[in-house]
Amino acid sequence: MDNLDKLENQSIFILREAFAKFENLAMLWSIGKDSSVLLWLARKAFLGHVPFPVVHIDTSYKIPEMIEFRDRMAREWNLNLVVGQNRGALEKGETFPLGRKTRVECCTLLKKDALQATLEAKGYTGVFVGIRRDEEGTRAKERYFSPRDKNFEWDFKDQPPEFWDQFTTDFEKGTHIRIHPLLHWTELNIWEYIHREKIPVVDLYFSREGRRYRSLGCAPCTGSIESAASSVPEIIEELRATRVSERSTRAQDAESEGAFEQLRAQGYM
Amino acid sequence: MPELLQTEAPLRIVIVGHVDHGKSTFVGRLLNDTHSLPEGKVEAIAASCKRRGVDFEWAFLMDALQSERDQNITIDTSQIWFRTPRRPYVIIDAPGHKEFLKNMVTGAASADAALLLIAANEGVQEQSRRHGTLLSLLGIRQVAVLVNKMDLVGFDQKVFDSIEKEYRAFLERLKVRPLAFIPMSARQGSNVAAPSPELAWHRGGTVVEALDGFQAPAAPTELALRFPVQDVYRFDHRRILAGRVESGSLKVGDTLVFHPGGKSSRVASIERWAAPPAQEARAGESVGITLAEQIFVERGHVAAHAGDPMISSHQVHARLFWLGKKPLEPGRRYKLKLATQEAEVELKEIRGVLDSSTLETLPGRPAKVERNEVAELVFSSRRTLVMDNYDLHEATGRFVLVDGGQACGGGIVFGEAYLDEEKAGSTPTEIYFSESAVTEAERRALKGHKGCVVWFTGLSGSGKSTIAKALERELIQRGVHATLLDGDNLRFGLNRDLGFSAQDRRENIRRTAEVARLFADSGAVVLTALISPFREDRAAARQVAMDGGREFLEVFVDTPLETCEKRDPKQLYAKARRGEITEFTGISSPYEPPERPDLALRAESQTLQDCVTAVMDLVLARIRTKG
């Protein structure tokens, strides 16, 4: 059994544990490479099916190719797609940079608040999220099964222990548990797996005119990197050589020291 | 993809030790000396230190969170990747502070090997010992001990030797044999990746050499099969058992035995999606299987091969570490999770409590297990659990105890205890009944009477159901909570799998008696109307009620066979006479009348009202509450 097999088997195990324990489950799909791999793993776990809704939090600032890709895959993979959006904030124009909100405030309104409202409206008690420990410091602190309280908050200082593949599956009414089946994967593992399994990803990841996206988010806050990698194997080669962190192009993280930590403690993905 | 070799799986390392013995500094140094840091990381931290007006510390590398820098303690498990020329590693930083032991356990439980740090200037401390104990319980077999801060003791070999001697002796008691003991200084980078002249007296190599000497973990494919069922899917009109092969392997065509229960079936297919077809699934693989013979299987069952028994018991003998805020104590209920099984358990016996830092057994007979203690215990479960001796099968030999929704303890199963019971010739079948939190007196106060069982017996057509129904109505009208369990009705649900052989009749009665007793426990007056032809079975039903402290009134509806046959309301006697029904009581199967019933009714000569009144008088006298 090689490394990708091990990663895959562990993720399938986690997906199935969650499916066995939660009645009202959903999977967050950001259209990015990680959550697309997560969807693929769900189909592995449930033998070709995705037996729960797939939720996309649409800030309306996503790069247009992402939305096209989303709608195409939803049709091809027969997904039950739920789109969540903070229409109130968008109508009032409370966004960055036009609405004089900071990047972090904009993320809070359009992503975190929209997510919270969607989860509450649908009553999901378990939510799959495709985050990985190697992305950045606060995600490294995560558990596979991570409880969120009534205010959506994550108390990373007082998390239940998690060991021997026994997970926190009890929760109080009004709270939910985030489930992170990709927690043990790295960015490189993700691309190697995409290559092996031939998983479709948005074209934005591939170099056009010398630039490509390494991490995808909203158009105003996500930058591209200089890169000639125009295929999955070329991306893998590039990542093996790089010593620059993956989220370096995500401007909201850099707005202040601890900005991303704050966002996550409040309930960001 | 030959041109693109896969990234190798990293070896997972946990670093533990007493608070302030230099774990974070060591990790920072290790990352730097193995050239594993992202570009600009050291510079960024140096700049941050300058802004704060503090000296640069290697430890800041690990302190990814703002609050950690404020508190100066690493508070949770983080993971950091690095590599040596030999292979990649991931470090699970485990906090040393006592408050955060649950995080240490979270990190350490998933490690392949451990580095245990001891500061040379402080020597072996409480947490050094506690962590050693936990590592052994968590099943971490590969350990190297690093004696850090040698610079603070002038690189003195005597200091190192004395720490090594003391700590080796401690670990020996846990049967943990470290692969290396290394004197080093994280701050100065001595013996981390490169040897140092001050430590030339030590011939045991550097930390990196020790790391490269650890073995990568291998899935236990050579052991006997254990396949815990995670779920049963009904996709595409097929019934698929989902699960991970924890040890051994299974092949299409193999006969699997599902524990508990021992039902067996053959593997018809191995199911995976977007993967090449497979005839075999090996340890570590998450698969689905379909069965050739459809048997009842659900989450929690564990499949093994025939002739390879598992421990199947209501009792769990275990050694356990406890992390709960509240002590672990008898009389409270906990949820036990073992493989995919979940059961409510109670602590039945504390055989001994160890202080995990001294390994001393606490004196006397402790009444509870406090946080951070290790204990030898016996739990009892309401349902049968299947498990293995931890030494033989890890995945089915260990469990997590949940209290208030959170994992609070981890235990490993002591198989020897079961072997002893087997040798003694007794199968472990003790069932423990949990005490209800509501008292008998409270229930009586609520209803105004006690619960009891009124057991009607008599031939088919004797009038049992008619009398019982009328009695039920009368009792309800008097405010008595009465409920009727009619034998015919029970055969539609609870007992629908049973026929009329002597064996099935016995089971029919046993189940009915158990249900009656449960209703009676809740304060109801339970009326049962079953033929119940055999004395022995009725005696057993009485025993069930008596064991629960419930009154059991046997009411014999004594109607002669001729009368019953003449009435024949369901035309059953006619069918029995024609041979269409076999084993029919009174015709082709005997009825044993009670020798000393609590009440006998001559339904032939008494009116229905007389019969009902007679039983009513008896019942009311027995259920009246005093005071």
Side-chain angles (χ1 to χ4, degrees):
Chain A
M1 191 183 290
D2 62 30
N3 192 22
L4 289 181
D5 293 332
K6 282 185 197 160
L7 296 166
E8 179 191 69
N9 279 302
Q10 175 71 358
S11 298
I12 292 173
F13 180 80
I14 290 163
L15 282 153
R16 288 175 170 174
E17 280 300 286
F19 189 62
K21 302 300 292 184
F22 292 88
E23 297 226 335
N24 204 352
L25 267 178
M27 179 174 283
L28 293 193
W29 186 29
S30 73
I31 332 294
K33 62 187 189 312
D34 303 296
S35 51
S36 297
V37 164
L38 185 53
L39 260 176
W40 187 264
L41 287 165
R43 299 172 83 203
K44 288 257 181 185
F46 308 111
L47 304 147
H49 302 261
V50 181
F52 33 72
V54 174
V55 175
H56 177 232
I57 300 302
D58 188 355
T59 60
S60 85
Y61 283 92
K62 296 291 170 191
I63 306 167
E65 282 101 314
M66 293 172 70
I67 303 300
E68 286 162 28
F69 179 81
R70 176 191 78 187
D71 294 341
R72 182 162 59 82
M73 295 322 298
R75 273 194 310 276
E76 281 181 21
W77 290 0
N78 196 24
L79 303 178
N80 174 7
L81 182 68
V82 172
V83 176
Q85 198 166 57
N86 186 347
R87 294 212 179 77
L90 287 171
E91 276 160 22
K92 283 188 238 160
E94 294 174 330
T95 60
F96 172 88
L98 301 172
R100 295 196 186 172
K101 293 282 171 188
T102 65
R103 294 178 200 270
V104 169
E105 284 166 346
C106 183
C107 265
T108 303
L109 287 164
L110 296 189
K111 291 169 94 173
K112 179 240 155 187
D113 287 356
L115 173 64
Q116 188 167 4
T118 308
L119 299 193
E120 275 166 11
K122 300 280 181 180
Y124 300 129
T125 51
V127 183
F128 291 112
V129 187
I131 62 162
R132 308 186 325 267
R133 285 201 172 111
D134 77 324
E135 286 178 88
E136 54 76 53
T138 65
R139 285 180 175 168
K141 312 275 173 189
E142 274 288 4
R143 303 281 198 253
Y144 284 119
F145 283 58
S146 180
R148 292 297 186 277
D149 70 9
K150 285 191 172 65
N151 303 318
F152 221 55
E153 284 172 3
W154 178 46
D155 187 359
F156 59 83
K157 291 180 195 169
D158 190 23
Q159 300 190 69
E162 182 174 81
F163 53 100
W164 296 343
D165 281 343
Q166 296 292 358
F167 307 109
T168 305
T169 50
D170 296 318
F171 54 92
E172 284 169 37
K173 205 170 159 16
T175 68
H176 74 279
I177 291 187
R178 299 273 177 91
I179 303 138
H180 304 130
L182 294 179
L183 207 54
H184 54 296
W185 294 55
T186 65
E187 185 186 15
L188 200 49
N189 298 149
I190 292 282
W191 282 110
E192 287 174 348
Y193 191 66
I194 288 171
H195 181 67
R196 186 178 90 174
E197 301 285 317
K198 302 184 181 63
I199 303 170
V201 290
V202 194
D203 279 345
L204 294 164
Y205 285 114
F206 304 115
S207 176
R208 263 179 281 179
E209 292 162 10
R211 298 192 76 81
R212 70 175 194 93
Y213 287 91
R214 187 167 163 199
S215 172
L216 288 178
C218 295
C221 294
T222 307
S224 55
I225 56 164
E226 214 171 280
S227 166
S230 59
S231 68
V232 177
E234 283 169 18
I235 290 174
I236 293 170
E237 288 304 325
E238 182 186 282
L239 290 176
R240 284 185 180 159
T242 189
R243 289 174 76 191
V244 177
S245 83
E246 183 182 3
R247 286 186 69 90
S248 60
T249 55
R250 302 295 286 272
Q252 69 266 37
D253 298 13
E255 205 168 61
S256 68
E257 201 166 349
F260 195 68
E261 179 200 335
Q262 257 178 39
L263 272 172
R264 294 217 70 234
Q266 289 163 4
Y268 187 88
M269 300 73 164
Chain B
M1 48 178 187
E3 83 283 12
L4 268 176
L5 287 174
Q6 254 182 53
T7 309
E8 199 183 337
L11 195 79
R12 299 173 60 80
I13 301 290
V14 65
I15 301 176
V16 297
H18 199 75
V19 66
D20 206 28
H21 277 199
K23 292 192 302 296
S24 295
T25 302
F26 166 70
V27 173
R29 171 60 81 173
L30 183 65
L31 292 178
N32 187 69
D33 292 5
T34 54
H35 314 289
S36 305
L37 290 173
E39 210 169 281
K41 197 80 180 175
V42 174
E43 290 77 1
I45 286 164
S48 168
C49 289
K50 206 170 172 190
R51 271 202 308 279
R52 287 156 196 271
V54 295
D55 290 338
F56 174 81
E57 292 270 356
W58 287 108
F60 293 155
L61 270 172
M62 286 299 284
D63 299 345
L65 289 178
Q66 181 100 31
S67 57
E68 284 185 7
R69 284 192 287 272
D70 295 341
Q71 286 187 5
N72 262 323
I73 311 172
T74 311
I75 59 165
D76 209 331
T77 297
S78 322
Q79 312 218 1
I80 291 195
W81 280 257
F82 75 98
R83 65 169 309 135
T84 64
R86 171 151 186 220
R87 69 177 156 215
Y89 292 86
V90 56
I91 302 171
I92 311 155
D93 183 44
H97 197 278
K98 192 172 168 179
E99 290 303 301
F100 302 124
L101 216 52
K102 59 185 184 165
N103 295 324
M104 181 266 180
V105 165
T106 303
S110 66
D112 303 317
L115 298 178
L116 220 150
L117 260 79
I118 298 173
N121 59 327
E122 291 190 10
V124 178
Q125 295 291 310
E126 182 196 346
Q127 295 301 309
S128 324
R129 289 188 294 256
R130 216 179 274 287
H131 287 175
T133 306
L134 280 172
L135 289 178
S136 85
L137 275 172
L138 288 168
I140 311 300
R141 315 250 184 263
Q142 308 189 86
V143 177
V145 180
L146 314 184
V147 180
N148 189 22
K149 304 195 184 183
M150 285 301 292
D151 51 322
L152 297 186
V153 296
F155 296 98
D156 186 347
Q157 185 176 358
K158 284 198 205 81
V159 175
F160 171 77
D161 287 347
S162 115
I163 290 173
E164 174 173 1
K165 194 175 166 211
E166 177 187 353
Y167 201 59
R168 237 184 227 288
F170 177 80
L171 291 180
E172 188 58 39
R173 293 168 66 190
L174 296 162
K175 294 181 189 152
V176 172
R177 284 168 198 105
L179 301 176
F181 255 91
I182 302 170
M184 42 90 64
S185 163
R187 192 180 292 266
Q188 297 197 2
S190 319
N191 257 359
V192 177
S196 120
E198 297 100 328
L199 295 168
W201 47 264
H202 177 71
R203 310 241 171 254
T206 64
V207 177
V208 168
E209 283 165 356
L211 285 169
D212 285 350
F214 289 137
Q215 300 293 314
T221 47
E222 302 311 314
L223 294 179
L225 170 72
R226 291 295 180 265
F227 179 68
V229 176
Q230 260 185 303
D231 214 336
V232 181
Y233 302 140
R234 282 168 196 86
F235 291 134
D236 313 314
H237 312 292
R238 291 185 315 152
R239 201 159 157 272
I240 298 163
L241 311 187
R244 181 169 65 189
V245 180
E246 295 292 354
S247 59
S249 62
L250 61 87
K251 292 187 189 68
V252 172
D254 280 3
T255 297
L256 301 184
V257 179
F258 291 84
H259 302 280
K263 290 200 183 106
S264 63
S265 182
R266 278 170 305 128
V267 179
S269 68
I270 291 172
E271 303 287 330
R272 301 189 299 164
W273 179 79
Q279 292 296 302
E280 186 182 17
R282 293 156 65 85
E285 290 180 39
S286 288
V287 295
I289 61 171
T290 62
L291 297 178
E293 299 85 18
Q294 294 310 316
I295 53 171
F296 176 73
V297 176
E298 63 181 341
R299 178 178 164 88
H301 275 122
V302 182
H305 282 124
D308 173 31
M310 295 184 69
I311 299 166
S312 186
S313 178
H314 289 273
Q315 294 201 7
V316 182
H317 294 263
R319 174 176 275 197
L320 173 133
F321 57 87
W322 184 246
L323 306 167
K325 285 178 186 139
K326 292 182 199 154
L328 171 67
E329 51 193 349
R332 285 188 52 219
R333 291 176 192 192
Y334 301 91
K335 192 196 281 181
L336 183 147
K337 292 181 168 183
L338 192 158
T340 55
Q341 301 168 91
E342 261 186 48
E344 194 173 82
V345 297
E346 252 182 80
L347 176 56
K348 196 179 160 199
E349 190 186 339
I350 300 177
R351 295 206 164 158
V353 174
L354 297 177
D355 182 311
S356 63
S357 79
T358 61
L359 295 184
E360 298 297 328
T361 305
L362 300 184
R365 287 191 71 81
K368 53 191 172 180
V369 182
E370 300 285 352
R371 189 178 189 183
N372 298 339
E373 283 176 345
V374 172
E376 272 163 39
L377 309 161
V378 185
F379 291 95
S380 56
S381 156
R382 295 180 129 198
R383 48 172 286 197
T384 307
L385 285 164
V386 289
M387 63 204 123
D388 285 297
N389 187 347
Y390 177 72
D391 292 343
L392 302 178
H393 287 277
E394 272 190 6
T396 44
R398 62 193 183 188
F399 60 89
V400 164
L401 216 55
V402 178
D403 187 21
Q406 293 205 359
C408 284
I412 59 178
V413 175
F414 262 177
E416 291 84 355
Y418 298 96
L419 281 179
D420 292 346
E421 286 179 17
E422 210 169 275
K423 277 184 204 143
S426 68
T427 43
T429 52
E430 291 162 64
I431 305 175
Y432 182 78
F433 285 99
S434 225
E435 289 298 324
S436 170
V438 179
T439 65
E440 179 78 15
E442 284 174 276
R443 285 190 206 284
R444 271 189 230 173
L446 183 72
K447 299 210 190 290
H449 60 80
K450 288 192 278 185
C452 75
V453 178
V454 185
W455 193 276
F456 289 87
T457 174
L459 293 167
S460 176
S462 60
K464 299 181 300 296
S465 293
T466 311
I467 297 168
K469 266 185 218 159
L471 176 66
E472 184 187 24
R473 158 98 10 231
E474 291 273 341
L475 286 168
I476 293 277
Q477 278 169 355
R478 284 170 200 237
V480 173
H481 177 192
T483 192
L484 170 63
L485 299 178
D486 185 271
D488 288 342
N489 293 347
L490 291 176
R491 283 187 180 272
F492 283 112
L494 180 68
N495 297 334
R496 69 173 164 211
D497 54 331
L498 300 177
F500 292 87
S501 65
Q503 195 186 344
D504 279 6
R505 282 179 194 268
R506 181 173 308 130
E507 175 62 8
N508 186 30
I509 286 164
R510 188 193 69 78
R511 289 185 198 173
T512 309
E514 289 284 356
V515 172
R517 179 245 158 125
L518 291 174
F519 273 107
D521 280 349
S522 79
V525 172
V526 190
L527 316 177
T528 68
L530 284 77
I531 298 171
S532 42
F534 303 113
R535 273 182 208 124
E536 193 186 322
D537 295 347
R538 293 193 301 266
R542 179 184 291 272
Q543 195 59 47
V544 168
M546 305 273 282
D547 284 349
R550 302 292 145 211
E551 193 92 54
F552 182 91
L553 302 171
E554 189 177 16
V555 179
F556 178 29
V557 184
D558 186 5
T559 308
L561 177 64
E562 302 74 42
T563 313
C564 295
E565 194 168 0
K566 212 184 295 167
R567 289 179 185 164
D568 205 7
K570 298 171 211 159
Q571 290 298 302
L572 295 171
Y573 285 93
K575 285 183 186 166
R577 289 287 182 202
R578 288 198 300 271
E580 289 168 32
I581 305 176
T582 56
E583 300 195 270
F584 191 75
T585 304
I587 308 294
S588 42
S589 181
Y591 179 81
E592 301 169 0
E595 284 168 343
R596 281 189 300 279
D598 295 277
L599 185 68
L601 299 172
R602 299 287 303 186
E604 206 191 12
S605 52
Q606 291 174 282
T607 65
L608 177 61
Q609 192 51 50
D610 287 344
C611 291
V612 171
T613 307
V615 189
M616 182 96 94
D617 288 343
L618 177 70
V619 171
L620 290 178
R622 300 291 179 93
I623 66 172
R624 230 170 259 141
T625 59
K626 292 179 194 116

